[in-house]
Amino acid sequence: MVMAIRGFSRRIQKDELVAIELLRLRNDIADTAVMEHTGSMVKAIGDSYLAMFSSAVEAVECAFDIQSEVALRNKYQMSDSKLVLGIGVHIGDVLWEGGS
């Protein structure tokens, strides 16, 4: 499962503190959901987040839970402070090269 914050580059240019807070919020929500669905966070770089699961079902359920939690937190936020995520799930083998 891979995800990124929509419009993150534009947000960080406009208000770095808000963008960094959204990044922290996303990481907190994602880390919790990935653990609950027995996945593992592979790598987080900038606003990109990559997690691996033993089944596609777990990945999709995790993505759903993340989006549900984000929707709850966004309900009372002003539009500039809302977290908007794009999440994709790849179904296939993972190839590890070079140990990183």
Side-chain angles (χ1 to χ4, degrees), residues 4-65:
I5 298 173
R6 299 286 173 138
F8 187 75
S9 295
R10 185 177 59 250
R11 285 179 185 217
I12 205 155
Q13 290 174 353
K14 184 178 179 184
D15 189 335
E16 189 173 323
L17 293 176
V18 169
I20 297 301
E21 188 55 38
L22 289 174
L23 185 62
R24 286 186 185 126
L25 175 61
R26 191 282 311 268
N27 288 344
D28 289 345
I29 292 170
D31 289 346
T32 299
V34 167
M35 269 194 299
E36 288 174 355
H37 290 278
T38 62
S40 57
M41 192 271 284
V42 176
K43 191 177 275 190
I45 299 174
D47 70 306
S48 298
Y49 188 104
L50 175 65
M52 189 169 61
F53 299 85
S54 59
S55 79
V57 171
E58 286 294 332
V60 170
E61 288 177 350
C62 180
F64 180 82
D65 288 351

Side-chain angles (χ1 to χ4, degrees), residues 1-2 51 53-60 88-94:
M1 179 185 77
V2 63
F53 299 85
S54 59
S55 79
V57 171
E58 286 294 332
V60 170
V89 175
H90 171 73
I91 301 172
D93 295 331
V94 174

